[in-house]
Amino acid sequence: MKNYKYDIEERLIQFSVDVIIICGKIDGNFASQHLSKQLIRSATASALNYCEAQSAESSRDFLHKMKKCLKELRESLVNLKIQKGANLISDLQKLEQLLKENKELIAIFVSSIRTSQNKNK
């Protein structure tokens, strides 16, 4: 079986799937609905934008798309923190796993963007 620990695309896909699953279990009040819909958009956008980055037409285009991924991941992190603070997600163990993975993905993208920027100088 293939080890996906360091396969960013697989990690982004799994992060998106986990977000979709946890949002499917969230209460139906207005705040929960609003935040969970936005969380699904930002989490899935990071995976979709990463796919686009892999087909970038230039190093500049690649860097732009990677920055979009980072932006969406940061938005997802803030959203998860808001939902945690407002007690909107009841599965605290899964929430902590998502927060950890989200932070790790952000660190990977920050590093990758820095490396790409240094190569382009």
Side-chain angles (χ1 to χ4, degrees), residues 49-91:
N49 285 320
Y50 182 75
C51 180
E52 283 187 29
Q54 300 311 297
S55 300
E57 296 176 9
S58 67
S59 56
R60 187 174 168 202
D61 187 35
F62 173 78
L63 190 56
H64 173 70
K65 287 178 167 82
M66 292 293 282
K67 285 180 179 180
K68 285 174 54 179
C69 295
L70 178 58
K71 175 183 137 326
E72 297 293 347
L73 286 167
R74 285 182 171 151
E75 181 178 323
S76 296
L77 182 62
V78 171
N79 189 313
L80 285 167
K81 287 178 178 181
I82 291 169
Q83 292 200 55
K84 180 181 180 182
N87 296 315
L88 298 177
I89 296 176
S90 59
D91 188 344

Side-chain angles (χ1 to χ4, degrees), residues 83-100:
Q83 292 200 55
K84 180 181 180 182
N87 296 315
L88 298 177
I89 296 176
S90 59
D91 188 344
L92 296 180
Q93 182 179 0
K94 189 63 177 178
L95 175 58
E96 290 302 324
Q97 289 172 348
L98 283 172
L99 286 165
K100 181 179 183 287

Side-chain angles (χ1 to χ4, degrees), residues 106-117:
I106 287 171
I108 291 166
F109 275 84
V110 166
S111 178
S112 180
I113 289 167
R114 281 189 188 139
T115 300
S116 183
Q117 286 173 327

